[in-house]
Amino acid sequence: MPDSPLYSAAAVAVIALAVAAVVAIGLKVLRSFRDLGTDAERATYNTLHAASKAGRHLRTGLNPAGAAKASRQLRALLGCDALAILDVSGVLAWDGTAEELRTRLAGLAAEVLASGRTQVFNAADLQLHSPKSGSVAAAVVAPVRAGARVVGAVAALAPQAGAGLVRATTEVADWVAAQVELAELDASRTLLMEAEVRALRAQISPHFIYNSLNAIASFINTDPARARELVVEFADFTRYSFRRHGDFTTLAEELRCIDRYLLLERARFGERVQVSLRIAPEVLSTVIPFLSLQPLVENAVRHGLEAKEGPGHITICANDSGAFAEVTIEDDGVGMDPVQLQSMLAGHTDGEHVGLRNVDARLRQVYGDDHGLVIETAPGEGTLITMRVPKSQPDHDA
């Protein structure tokens, strides 16, 4: 009964508990802030907190959206009336008063971008003929450098530009430059990953396509239905391998690609290639780097079984290992020299296992050095390759 006294009393009790919880949280935050101790310690905390918040917005580089959010935090750091962030094209963001000076400031900042030196501009430079007391009458503009290039500037506007504001604005510009360089480093890593994917595709292209087409041709007269089936599988495999969107895929999609690859290889080798699969369903949706498994299986076929006399066996397993999905690819082929393999993975020597090196490098770039390939092998003993990837990856979309 919504209108009953019991219901009303319960509602009041719930509201009272909610208010008490909010008050308790507020008091906890205030106590935590007081625990910082002196005014100097609190000022240090505020400065670091503002810098941390601004840094998150600049990690994609100098762009209007990130600059607009970061400018609020940076103005608070400098304590100025207005703050602008510029790049070579003009003003990206403005926070504070005197926005009517935007066009004039962009023209003055061009001098800083050209010279690479911090400059102070007075009321005459800003074309303020009779500025009011306490209003903006000066601007400090400091360059933002990325390596040897001047890519932008930070401008602080205030009633006057003392030595303290000049030094502080220069330091803030240097800090912004560090965030821009980190963003460029992230972009370079992305480009490197894309280049490595292109290298893997190039590796697939000449060797595999030539052999697959030969295998298909061999069935045209003797088994036309099989030839048609292989053509469809070949088309699906190449469509997936040469797709132009996304650096990530799901484990399920990669396994489908491997299934097509092995079907085409078995058209060449017949019963010489035997395959076993043990896949835990709960890991099929795990996101993994695109073309990270197929090269491992291709390595098992080309360098493990092709050189072996008689039939060979490949076992592909995918297991749930807590926070990780663990994938293993094992063959009973000719194996590899572990010393030479280690040298090749480190990039010290060239070799036949370029696919392994590319996959290992990409895994380390994406997940860290602890997540490279683990390879157990010896001449005549086959090869076991293990790959572990996090099951939860909010920053990566398949």
Side-chain angles (χ1 to χ4, degrees):
M1 298 290 292
D3 295 326
S4 69
L6 181 60
Y7 179 85
S8 299
V12 170
V14 169
I15 293 171
L17 286 172
V19 171
V22 171
V23 171
I25 292 171
L27 290 173
K28 184 177 180 180
V29 170
L30 287 173
R31 282 196 298 271
S32 176
F33 188 71
R34 292 195 192 100
D35 287 344
L36 291 170
T38 67
D39 290 342
E41 289 173 335
R42 286 194 287 271
T44 299
Y45 168 80
N46 287 331
T47 299
L48 293 174
H49 183 64
S52 174
K53 291 181 68 175
R56 289 196 292 270
H57 302 309
L58 293 172
R59 284 305 302 273
T60 56
L62 284 181
N63 58 69
K69 294 177 181 177
S71 61
R72 302 187 190 104
Q73 307 300 329
L74 298 182
R75 184 165 77 90
L77 279 177
L78 293 174
C80 55
D81 291 22
L83 182 133
I85 299 176
L86 308 94
D87 68 358
V88 293
S89 65
V91 177
L92 293 175
W94 188 289
D95 189 72
T97 62
E99 194 166 355
E100 66 275 6
L101 298 176
R102 176 189 286 258
T103 302
R104 180 58 184 159
L105 184 67
L108 295 173
E111 302 176 23
V112 175
L113 294 171
S115 67
R117 295 192 301 271
T118 299
Q119 295 190 41
V120 177
F121 299 101
N122 57 28
D125 298 321
L126 295 171
Q127 297 182 351
L128 298 171
H129 302 296
S130 55
K132 297 179 182 179
S133 176
S135 64
V136 167
V140 180
V141 184
V144 173
R145 297 177 179 276
R149 298 173 294 120
V150 178
V151 297
V154 172
L157 294 90
Q160 59 183 1
L165 182 61
V166 174
R167 287 196 297 269
T169 305
T170 301
E171 290 297 327
V172 166
D174 289 343
W175 178 86
V176 171
Q179 308 310 306
V180 172
E181 289 182 332
L182 287 173
E184 292 186 349
L185 178 60
D186 285 343
S188 296
R189 291 175 62 186
T190 299
L191 290 173
L192 179 59
M193 287 178 60
E194 291 174 352
E196 286 167 344
V197 170
R198 288 194 295 272
L200 287 169
R201 287 169 172 159
Q203 180 189 351
I204 290 170
S205 173
H207 179 90
F208 178 73
I209 290 177
Y210 176 80
N211 289 331
S212 295
L213 291 176
N214 274 344
I216 292 169
S218 69
F219 287 103
I220 289 176
N221 293 324
T222 60
D223 193 345
R226 179 80 185 281
R228 284 194 296 271
E229 178 190 3
L230 291 174
V231 166
V232 172
E233 296 295 341
F234 178 76
D236 288 341
F237 174 82
T238 53
R239 186 181 299 114
Y240 174 82
S241 299
F242 293 96
R243 73 177 192 177
R244 295 186 177 275
H245 65 280
D247 294 323
F248 294 87
T249 187
T250 62
L251 179 60
E253 285 293 325
E254 194 81 354
L255 288 172
R256 273 192 282 269
C257 170
I258 290 171
D259 183 59
R260 296 181 184 114
Y261 167 79
L262 289 171
L263 189 148
L264 291 162
E265 288 290 47
R266 293 187 72 179
R268 290 176 56 211
F269 293 107
E271 294 304 315
R272 283 188 58 200
V273 176
Q274 300 173 4
V275 181
S276 297
L277 292 173
R278 292 199 294 272
I279 310 298
E282 59 268 27
V283 300
L284 287 173
S285 61
T286 301
V287 174
I288 62 174
F290 176 64
L291 282 183
S292 57
L293 285 185
Q294 190 277 336
L296 308 184
V297 176
E298 183 170 354
N299 181 82
V301 173
R302 289 181 58 189
H303 305 299
L305 304 186
E306 192 169 348
K308 177 182 177 179
E309 293 184 8
H313 196 272
I314 297 174
T315 301
I316 302 171
C317 299
N319 299 309
D320 188 338
S321 181
F324 298 91
E326 183 175 279
V327 183
T328 60
I329 297 171
E330 184 174 12
D331 69 75
D332 59 358
V334 298
M336 298 175 275
D337 183 322
V339 176
Q340 292 181 358
L341 176 65
Q342 188 62 38
S343 178
M344 186 274 298
L345 289 175
H348 300 151
T349 60
D350 293 329
E352 297 180 328
H353 308 284
V354 178
L356 294 185
R357 182 169 65 193
N358 284 342
V359 172
D360 180 68
R362 290 167 63 214
L363 291 173
R364 293 176 188 276
Q365 287 165 7
V366 174
Y367 306 117
D369 283 337
D370 292 339
H371 292 280
L373 294 176
V374 177
I375 304 176
E376 301 172 45
T377 187
E381 298 297 328
T383 302
L384 171 63
I385 301 175
T386 302
M387 181 176 84
R388 281 167 57 88
V389 298
K391 288 191 294 186
S392 176
Q393 301 174 44
D395 295 333
H396 301 141
D397 296 321

